[in-house]
Amino acid sequence: MPPSSEKHYQARVVSRHDLSPDLWVIRLERNDGFRFVAGQYATLGEMDSGKLIERAYSIVSSPYESELEIFIELVQQGELTPHLYKRKPGDVVSCRRIAKGRFTLDMKSARTNHLLLATVTGIAPFVSYVRTLNADWKKEQMPGKLQLYVVHGASRSWEFGYREELERVAGEVPWLKYVPTISRPWEDTSWGGEVGRVEDLIRKYSDMWGLQPEKTSAYLCGHPNMIENGRGILQRRGWKKDAMSEEVYFVPAQEAGRH
């Protein structure tokens, strides 16, 4: 365990929830000085052979919350996630004191629609958006007339993590639509929802929701193949580079998530 320093603090694991053998959610103590904007990431670390191994993880929590929530995918050959996988409540991990990242909601352009495309753990920054906006909406402090449209893909339904929360919020507020979709329905025969990869559904739902490039900012987060394919589809439908944001979560050859 590395000592606390000017750049790091020791974040205690407050709770842990396992979704599957390789997906879990942890909540960490948040240092009093740790500030972030919805969509940014925390840099977590563990000591390995005398070296601090660090990776960036999108923060699921809203900045209004007192703890940091992180959605993690285990990669057996990864440098960090196998260490984090062993952590249970009461253990500590290293966390940099400063959050970083520019994958935040576009509040500067005139585009009021926001199309959020994610795979598995890529939903993390979008949950932070939703939690933050929902808190503002309840206080009647919603920043403008924003509309969020989420398409979230996974292989099987138990990999979603935040489906119940997002469906609940979407049922309560006028500014959120949420569609979960699975790509391996033959492995999840009880699933009765949408089927197909995220990129397969971009045309269908952008048309259904009436999303026009000049009025819609698009965000792609998660698997690099989804991002590459999704970007191409959006471009062919008229989206310009400045209206699209991307955050790639690398997979097995390197590590899932940014991990």
Side-chain angles (χ1 to χ4, degrees):
M1 182 179 72
S4 297
S5 67
E6 291 184 0
K7 293 184 177 180
H8 306 84
Y9 76 96
Q10 295 305 302
R12 190 170 303 279
V13 179
V14 177
S15 65
R16 171 177 176 149
H17 172 57
D18 288 77
L19 302 174
S20 72
D22 60 355
L23 289 168
W24 74 103
V25 175
I26 59 171
R27 290 185 69 87
L28 304 170
E29 288 180 343
R30 179 178 172 183
N31 184 283
D32 289 342
F34 190 94
R35 301 283 183 267
F36 69 97
V37 176
Q40 291 191 304
Y41 61 82
T43 303
L44 305 183
E46 289 272 358
M47 293 298 294
D48 184 17
S49 302
K51 178 182 178 183
L52 179 61
I53 306 297
E54 294 182 298
R55 295 291 183 272
Y57 294 83
S58 292
I59 301 169
V60 178
S61 324
S62 162
Y64 297 135
E65 296 178 54
S66 61
E67 297 169 349
L68 297 180
E69 187 169 328
I70 309 291
F71 187 14
I72 308 175
E73 180 173 0
L74 173 66
V75 177
Q76 298 291 348
Q77 304 305 316
E79 285 191 280
L80 183 57
T81 55
H83 291 286
L84 294 178
Y85 188 75
K86 299 174 184 177
R87 297 294 164 254
K88 57 187 184 299
D91 292 341
V92 296
V93 299
S94 170
C95 181
R96 284 190 176 258
R97 296 179 183 274
I98 298 176
K100 294 185 178 181
R102 299 179 180 179
F103 196 67
T104 55
L105 269 176
D106 169 22
M107 305 293 286
K108 296 180 179 179
S109 74
R111 297 183 291 270
T112 55
N113 294 328
H114 302 267
L115 176 60
L116 314 178
L117 307 172
T119 56
V120 193
T121 55
I123 197 67
F126 301 157
V127 175
S128 185
Y129 295 172
V130 170
R131 288 183 181 179
T132 305
L133 291 174
N134 197 32
D136 291 338
W137 184 75
K138 288 179 177 178
K139 294 183 292 185
E140 298 184 350
Q141 296 177 355
M142 188 81 163
K145 297 181 179 180
L146 304 180
Q147 294 289 325
L148 271 58
Y149 303 88
V150 183
V151 180
H152 184 199
S155 295
R156 297 160 293 264
S157 62
W158 52 83
E159 298 170 352
F160 285 124
Y162 296 90
R163 177 166 65 93
E164 291 183 0
E165 177 180 345
L166 293 172
E167 287 179 338
R168 175 182 54 77
V169 176
E172 296 172 350
V173 305
W175 46 265
L176 176 66
K177 300 289 186 185
Y178 172 70
V179 175
T181 179
I182 67 171
S183 60
R184 296 185 180 182
W186 59 90
E187 296 180 3
D188 190 356
T189 55
S190 63
W191 176 251
E194 187 64 85
V195 172
R197 295 181 182 276
V198 171
E199 57 266 40
D200 298 333
L201 302 176
I202 292 175
R203 295 179 181 87
K204 175 181 177 179
Y205 282 95
S206 59
D207 287 345
M208 182 183 299
W209 292 326
L211 301 181
Q212 302 170 342
E214 62 272 14
K215 297 180 180 180
T216 307
S217 294
Y219 309 73
L220 304 98
C221 187
H223 196 290
N225 290 345
M226 182 279 285
I227 291 177
E228 182 179 0
N229 295 334
R231 182 198 314 124
I233 291 168
L234 289 169
Q235 288 175 335
R236 289 190 290 275
R237 292 179 69 82
W239 265 265
K240 304 299 183 184
K241 186 176 181 180
D242 67 345
M244 294 188 289
S245 300
E246 302 175 2
E247 189 139 284
V248 177
Y249 284 16
F250 295 101
V251 288
Q254 298 179 43
E255 256 196 282
R258 303 190 193 78
H259 336 316

